[in-house]
Amino acid sequence: MRDRIDRIAEPWGDRTPYRPGQPWPVRRDAYLTGDGVDRWVPTASLLHSNGDAMDVAVRDGRIVGVRGRADDRVNRGRLGPKDLFGWQANHADDRLTVPLVRRNGRLEESDWDTAMGLVVERSRHLLDAHGPGSIGFYTSGQLFLEEYYTLAVIARAGIGTNHLDGNTRLCTATAAEALKETFGCDGQPASYTDVDHCDTLALYGHNMAETQPVLWMRVLDRLAGPEPPRLLCVDPRPTPVAARAEVHLAPRIGTNVALLNALLHELVRTDRIDHAYVDAHTVGYAELVAGVEKCTPEWAARICDVPAREIRRAAELLGDARRLLSTVLQGVYQSHQATAAAVQVNNIQLVRGMLGRPGCGVLQMNGQPTAENTRECGADGDLPGFRNWENAAHVAELAKLWNVDVDRIPHHGPPTPAMQIFRYAEQGSIKMLWISGTNPAVSLPELARIRELLRAEGLFTVVQDLYPTETALLADVVLPAATWGEKTGTFTNADRTVHLCEQAVRPPGQARPDLDILLDYARRMDFRDRDGAPLIGWHDPRTAFAAWQRCSAGRPCDYTGLSYELLRERGGVQWPCTAEHPEGTERLYTDGISWADPDTCESYGRDLVTGASVSETEYRALNPDGRAVLKAAEYLPPHEDVSDDYPLQLTTGRTLYHFHTRTKTGRTPQLDAAAPEMWVEIGAGEAHRRGLGEGDLVEVATARGAVRARLRVTALRDGLLFLPFHYGYWDTPVRTDPGADGGRAANETTPTDWDPVSKQPLFKTAAARLTRLAPADGTPAPAPTTGAAAPADPAAAPPTTGGPAALADQRPAPAPEATP
Amino acid sequence: MNPVEAVLRTLHDGELALRDDLLAAAEDHRAEHEFHHVATDTARWSAEHARLIAVTAAARDLRLPADHDPTTLTRLRRKAAADLTPRPDGLPDLLEALAALHLAASRNSLHWEMLAQAAQAGRDAELLELASRCHPQTLRQMRWTNTLIKTLAPQLLTAS
């Protein structure tokens, strides 16, 4: 193992091969600037969903570097490029340091009293004049648990509005919904350690190499060791995962359900079914078999444009597995029939009886670091603690916990999902929208519409953020927030691992932790409980955590066995963690299905095509014993397909070096340089047919809008274009909108359409037209060469490197202890 | 025409009408994105039901009216309906549309029930299979419209 390498050029570092069942060997990564460290502060990573444990190096009151924690279960010392370099964005010159208030059309510097006074005045006025339904909250997947829980209590029992959701609706809502549909309740069944044990790993729409690079290192180390797992990759792009897969299926976008139904058809046809498991732990098998009866590989091949023999090979891979781990991400969640497809992956796992044992499980992944907490705290379209809004006993538990009347907690309908919140704002019935830690002016679909509604006179917008984002620049009040490293709290990754993130340095200027901002609002609004005591009885992260523990007690996400001290001492611990299970819980469902009982489940489920609610009565009849539900779903053609005007399919997605709308990664020199500008991907065959080449300046247009960028020719499937969704306008002259050079944000082109079950918007199913504006001038597209955007012809673009600035340490054994 | 054939004919009319109404409502409410897309998806169910009914009917020498171009006739039908139906002032259009679709689906559902019962009493396996194939989707159309009314009514009726 080399001591020091360029981690932009080699994002996954060197290998530490291991065999099945062995613990993943340690590799300790670090990146330090300058000389000397005053202290190391434990935390975990915040620019993806993996939850890599790390220590922050502090010198003279400033963060100067990071190192991975070798003792932590998640990463065993490793860090990804965003972990290594992303902290530098804390020091960006344009951090928000004072509250801003819009006066005469301009945002002007103000102070906390004035800014919060305006927010409170508007809240009171709207509550009096229009009721709680006129106020909405749109939060993030990047705050801490303590902050989400506080926000959930403020929104649900303070204001009493149903309109609270997170941008996790864009990244993880389908994961939650698929788990609810199958298991009755949210909660990740498997564990990252299942990578250590599996003999077959199926990744559906999950470019793990770029979205969760540290987990991919774990897979690479298994692939480099004895008895490596066999990989199945379903992805239209030539990802690093596809390159290592035994079978790679690259379907037309929008056809996941057809493909998965054909895989199920083959498993049934060849009787690769664990009938004992199915009989003991599931309901609905006969309906599933009937549902996939006609879904032959030949049928799916016509729809998906994938050879039938490859579908058969994939089914054989799944059928031959003795320890099958499946993972799912945005290629499923942000595509047509999102939940229906994600549920079929659960079904494959169940009919194969591959659940709750080492190497056997499903990981319905998250996109964001703290997405799990938005879900469990009730800030993402459910009630806190995975409680069921239709179950009167669950609502009564919350009312008792918060000491308020049951009627004060809105439960007449489902909590409003984000896309519907924005629709109500567009209609004018939501008149105040408080946006925290997210940038809808770049991340939501159909941006021209979003900008218009954010600018509307009738909508008062409060934006709580770190930087002058595109969204903040359109706000009426901007609240400067502290970020990771500047505040304390906990968060939970995609495999239920809880980490404590401690404050290392002071926030800049007057910026405040999100928790302090929310507590200040609650105080000023004077929210009271039934006895006249303050509704929010906590005052700092630790007391907020204690309040959440009481809320979580007895639910699947039980935190009662955890404490800040325990997390500090042991690093990551997986929930549920209770007095009976003080070590936490590695896998759910080791002994059957535990949370699908009608009295305890989080949801009675929905129709996978229409989204219609299944009633409590129907659920009790269908699933009286609380088993897993095998739900079949018929394939539907995509809502937007190719036409004469728009002959190409269009999808959007990610690169390893950026996160979301680049608010942090665009302000991190090494990451920004690795992927500095927007690009468009096309396959070599498609480019050849159209007489296009690397570096051509092109326009991609849909019925909504257009973007311009240089063309990258890759090994992408025919008939498809790909746009990275990270780029917006904050670092362009106009700052909020397309300028003279046309659109730059992929979401200028995406449709407003969402999965009717999970309500997740579909960023990956559209039709587009491609026009060449100018031939290449010798400059290749500014796309990285390390991942799925690699050029089909390696000579077409220079390899992506980071140079001396990107050199980071990697060591096989723990580094020496911190200097005092 | 025997009474069972009359049910088939009524169902054929009802499914084509529901298809047209769903497509027309989807068009009228393009900005209600979820409604627009699911209405279009479930219109496909009704179109398929009508096709299957026509196939069954043809096998019995029952001639059903040929299908029409949905868009033109729909406009006429809707215009006539709008002229005839008294609309309460102030009820949001979307809720009104959902209620009308729910009632149309309920009507079809009752006819499917009749057909299934007649099929069982008459030991008519082919008709029973037709009803078993289609009726569940009609029930799903009803549940869907009901769910949307339950979800949207609070905001549309109290906060607008």
Side-chain angles (χ1 to χ4, degrees):
Chain A
M1 184 179 295
R2 294 162 295 171
D3 279 356
R4 216 164 145 69
I5 58 169
D6 175 350
R7 290 295 302 280
I8 294 293
E10 299 183 71
W12 305 287
D14 284 334
R15 300 280 57 81
T16 54
Y18 69 123
R19 65 173 62 248
Q22 257 194 344
W24 190 23
V26 165
R27 184 187 92 192
R28 190 147 198 180
D29 295 352
Y31 174 70
L32 272 176
T33 57
D35 292 316
V37 173
D38 296 339
R39 59 203 168 86
W40 293 94
V41 181
T43 184
S45 60
L46 208 63
L47 292 169
H48 48 76
S49 67
N50 213 53
D52 305 329
M54 64 209 292
D55 295 323
V56 164
V58 179
R59 184 176 67 239
D60 301 332
R62 269 172 78 87
I63 299 178
V64 293
V66 291
R67 68 180 183 194
R69 288 187 60 170
D71 59 351
D72 197 272
R73 62 174 305 279
V74 169
N75 53 321
R76 310 276 289 153
R78 287 163 195 76
L79 295 175
K82 280 182 281 198
D83 304 335
L84 289 165
F85 306 120
W87 54 270
Q88 297 166 98
N90 280 28
H91 303 149
D93 292 339
D94 62 345
R95 279 291 296 274
L96 294 168
T97 54
V98 288
L100 309 175
V101 166
R102 188 169 295 278
R103 287 206 178 84
N104 304 316
R106 288 169 47 89
L107 280 175
E108 293 177 1
E109 294 200 350
S110 181
D111 55 71
W112 279 104
D113 254 349
T114 307
M116 292 304 287
L118 281 172
V119 176
V120 166
E121 184 190 304
R122 185 62 66 113
S123 306
R124 289 231 171 88
H125 165 74
L126 288 175
L127 281 175
D128 288 347
H130 301 282
S134 60
I135 299 177
F137 296 87
Y138 182 48
T139 189
S140 177
Q142 297 160 59
L143 306 187
F144 289 147
L145 176 155
E146 293 78 357
E147 294 163 339
Y148 293 134
Y149 182 58
T150 303
L151 178 59
V153 179
I154 286 173
R156 306 248 182 260
I159 298 287
T161 180
N162 232 349
H163 311 321
L164 162 62
D165 201 12
N167 68 1
T168 38
R169 183 64 53 190
L170 281 51
C171 86
T172 188
T174 302
E177 192 62 37
L179 294 171
K180 286 188 270 185
E181 293 299 332
T182 302
F183 302 106
C185 190
D186 198 348
Q188 187 72 276
S191 164
Y192 289 169
T193 50
D194 287 319
V195 172
D196 306 346
H197 302 279
C198 67
D199 68 6
T200 307
L201 176 59
L203 300 101
Y204 299 93
H206 183 199
N207 183 2
M208 186 195 280
E210 298 197 60
T211 53
Q212 289 167 292
V214 169
L215 191 58
W216 181 241
M217 294 172 204
R218 199 167 191 146
V219 174
L220 288 175
D221 286 345
R222 275 293 317 274
L223 289 173
E227 298 172 60
R230 304 159 79 193
L231 266 53
L232 165 64
C233 170
V234 177
D235 200 313
R237 290 176 83 206
T239 63
V241 176
R244 301 302 302 267
E246 186 162 321
V247 180
H248 173 209
L249 306 177
R252 294 184 86 238
I253 53 172
T255 65
N256 289 327
V257 167
L259 183 67
L260 285 154
N261 278 352
L263 293 175
L264 280 160
H265 171 96
E266 281 297 285
L267 291 175
V268 171
R269 186 184 66 80
T270 56
D271 200 30
R272 256 64 168 260
I273 304 293
D274 184 338
H275 291 285
Y277 189 90
V278 167
D279 290 348
H281 299 298
T282 71
V283 294
Y285 182 67
E287 291 84 347
L288 180 68
V289 169
V292 302
E293 190 190 345
K294 291 180 179 154
C295 304
T296 63
E298 285 71 21
W299 167 84
R302 283 191 295 277
I303 293 167
C304 308
D305 189 27
V306 167
R309 65 173 183 281
E310 290 299 298
I311 298 175
R312 282 212 178 78
R313 279 185 67 209
E316 280 164 20
L317 199 59
L318 298 171
D320 289 344
R322 280 170 304 138
R323 293 173 187 268
L324 172 65
L325 176 63
S326 295
T327 73
V328 191
L329 197 61
Q330 308 304 356
V332 171
Y333 302 161
Q334 294 185 338
S335 194
H336 178 58
Q337 294 198 280
T339 307
V343 162
Q344 301 319 309
V345 177
N346 293 342
N347 288 347
I348 289 174
Q349 217 65 35
L350 287 165
V351 300
R352 296 283 293 113
M354 299 279 178
L355 199 69
R357 289 181 285 130
C360 304
V362 59
L363 291 164
Q364 298 280 356
M365 287 294 185
N366 306 347
Q368 292 183 84
T370 76
E372 186 56 45
N373 305 109
T374 1
R375 276 148 59 178
E376 66 204 21
C377 291
D380 188 42
D382 278 295
L383 294 182
F386 297 149
R387 285 179 175 85
N388 185 346
W389 66 269
E390 292 184 278
N391 184 330
H394 287 196
V395 181
E397 282 171 18
L398 286 179
K400 184 164 176 242
L401 184 72
W402 298 338
N403 193 31
V404 297
D405 291 333
V406 169
D407 293 348
R408 202 157 138 193
I409 305 168
H411 60 283
H412 50 263
T416 313
M419 297 300 288
Q420 192 64 45
I421 289 178
F422 279 85
R423 174 63 187 149
Y424 289 150
E426 186 178 37
Q427 288 172 322
S429 66
I430 286 182
K431 298 173 195 303
M432 170 175 150
L433 188 56
W434 186 332
I435 301 167
S436 46
T438 185
N439 190 13
V442 180
S443 55
L444 286 185
E446 204 177 348
L447 287 182
R449 168 178 176 258
I450 298 300
R451 285 189 295 262
E452 188 180 334
L453 76 86
L454 286 174
R455 281 196 169 104
E457 279 296 315
L459 182 67
F460 181 78
T461 50
V462 181
V463 171
Q464 181 171 322
D465 212 307
L466 315 178
Y467 309 103
T469 63
E470 291 83 345
T471 306
L473 291 168
L474 299 176
D476 294 292
V477 173
V478 179
L479 305 175
T483 184
W484 174 95
E486 301 165 356
K487 60 179 187 177
T488 292
T490 53
F491 75 82
T492 308
N493 77 349
D495 89 334
R496 294 175 280 104
T497 305
V498 187
H499 282 113
L500 174 64
C501 283
E502 302 210 57
Q503 182 178 2
V505 297
R506 293 166 59 86
Q510 297 176 37
R512 288 184 181 173
D514 298 275
L515 181 63
D516 290 5
I517 298 171
L518 295 168
L519 291 172
D520 183 35
Y521 177 69
R523 240 179 341 260
R524 289 171 190 259
M525 288 296 289
D526 198 28
F527 296 128
R528 299 276 164 176
D529 70 10
R530 196 154 51 183
D531 300 322
L535 173 68
I536 310 280
W538 50 94
H539 54 273
D540 62 6
R542 187 182 287 271
T543 49
F545 185 78
W548 163 250
Q549 286 181 300
R550 289 192 291 280
C551 182
S552 74
R555 295 299 296 164
C557 49
D558 195 321
Y559 280 63
T560 51
L562 292 171
S563 66
Y564 278 17
E565 286 71 25
L566 183 83
L567 292 168
R568 194 173 289 143
E569 181 192 310
R570 287 192 21 209
V573 178
Q574 289 172 287
W575 65 242
C577 178
T578 61
E580 298 80 54
H581 300 284
E583 301 293 314
T585 307
E586 190 170 25
R587 289 177 193 87
L588 303 185
Y589 311 133
T590 50
D591 190 23
I593 307 303
S594 30
W595 293 97
D597 183 89
D599 292 321
T600 53
C601 69
E602 180 181 9
S603 166
Y604 303 125
R606 290 176 179 277
D607 186 307
L608 292 185
V609 168
T610 66
S613 301
V614 175
S615 73
E616 180 185 346
T617 314
E618 289 169 297
Y619 187 81
R620 284 186 185 279
L622 164 84
N623 194 18
D625 304 320
R627 296 176 178 183
V629 182
L630 293 166
K631 274 196 172 181
E634 68 250 47
Y635 164 74
L636 301 177
H639 295 145
E640 181 167 294
D641 212 337
V642 294
S643 62
D644 289 345
D645 286 343
Y646 301 107
L648 291 163
Q649 287 199 308
L650 172 67
T651 188
T652 69
R654 287 144 187 79
T655 172
L656 185 145
Y657 302 104
H658 284 303
F659 181 62
H660 275 208
T661 60
R662 290 162 61 246
T663 47
K664 280 191 167 177
T665 55
R667 289 173 171 90
T668 301
Q670 296 89 337
L671 301 172
D672 186 46
E677 203 23 275
M678 182 67 178
W679 73 89
V680 179
E681 284 171 32
I682 193 170
E686 195 67 48
H688 180 74
R689 267 192 296 285
R690 291 169 184 272
L692 299 167
E694 174 76 28
D696 285 354
L697 184 65
V698 297
E699 182 180 81
V700 176
T702 68
R704 275 73 51 186
V707 296
R708 289 184 200 177
R710 287 193 186 277
L711 195 64
R712 162 58 49 87
V713 179
T714 74
L716 191 66
R717 61 159 288 125
D718 283 348
L720 180 61
L721 300 173
F722 171 90
L723 299 174
F725 88 112
H726 308 289
Y727 299 89
Y729 304 102
W730 60 266
D731 50 348
T732 67
V734 185
R735 299 182 79 197
T736 52
D737 295 57
D741 292 337
R744 187 194 198 203
N747 282 320
E748 304 293 348
T749 67
T750 45
T752 304
D753 184 7
W754 60 84
D755 180 50
V757 189
S758 69
K759 317 298 180 188
Q760 183 156 351
L762 309 184
F763 296 98
K764 293 182 186 285
T765 313
R769 175 172 64 225
L770 181 68
T771 315
R772 183 160 78 167
L773 302 176
D777 57 8
T779 317
T785 62
T786 46
D793 170 9
T800 299
T801 57
L807 290 176
D809 297 337
Q810 54 171 10
R811 302 277 153 74
E817 270 314 293
T819 42
Chain B
M1 192 177 358
N2 71 39
V4 172
E5 287 173 353
V7 176
L8 271 179
R9 185 179 291 274
T10 309
L11 257 177
H12 187 253
D13 282 354
E15 289 289 3
L16 284 178
L18 182 54
R19 175 199 67 183
D20 294 350
D21 290 349
L22 282 164
L23 291 175
E27 197 53 39
D28 290 350
H29 297 279
R30 287 193 81 87
E32 301 294 343
H33 300 91
E34 181 174 333
F35 172 78
H36 168 81
H37 289 297
V38 179
T40 310
D41 288 338
T42 52
R44 205 178 282 122
W45 289 347
S46 286
E48 177 66 5
H49 296 176
R51 191 187 68 80
L52 292 169
I53 294 165
V55 169
T56 306
R60 288 156 197 254
D61 293 330
L62 171 66
R63 283 175 53 85
L64 295 175
D67 192 9
H68 51 265
D69 170 17
T71 44
T72 40
L73 204 75
T74 300
R75 229 172 282 128
L76 290 173
R77 259 177 52 88
R78 290 180 60 74
K79 172 91 172 61
D83 291 347
L84 291 173
T85 319
R87 291 169 73 87
D89 249 6
L91 183 59
D93 283 353
L94 180 59
L95 293 180
E96 180 74 1
L98 283 163
L101 292 170
H102 185 83
L103 292 172
S106 305
R107 187 166 178 276
N108 288 347
S109 171
L110 294 171
H111 288 121
W112 281 119
E113 194 70 59
M114 292 176 205
L115 191 75
Q117 290 300 91
Q120 293 197 66
R123 305 222 160 86
D124 188 330
E126 193 185 54
L127 276 191
L128 188 60
E129 194 189 316
L130 176 69
S132 310
R133 156 81 179 75
C134 300
H135 194 191
Q137 288 179 327
T138 307
L139 293 169
R140 290 165 76 186
Q141 290 169 326
M142 291 168 61
R143 284 195 207 102
W144 168 62
T145 43
N146 191 74
T147 294
L148 275 195
I149 286 173
K150 181 167 181 172
T151 306
L152 296 171
Q155 187 76 2
L156 298 184
L157 295 177
T158 68
S160 295

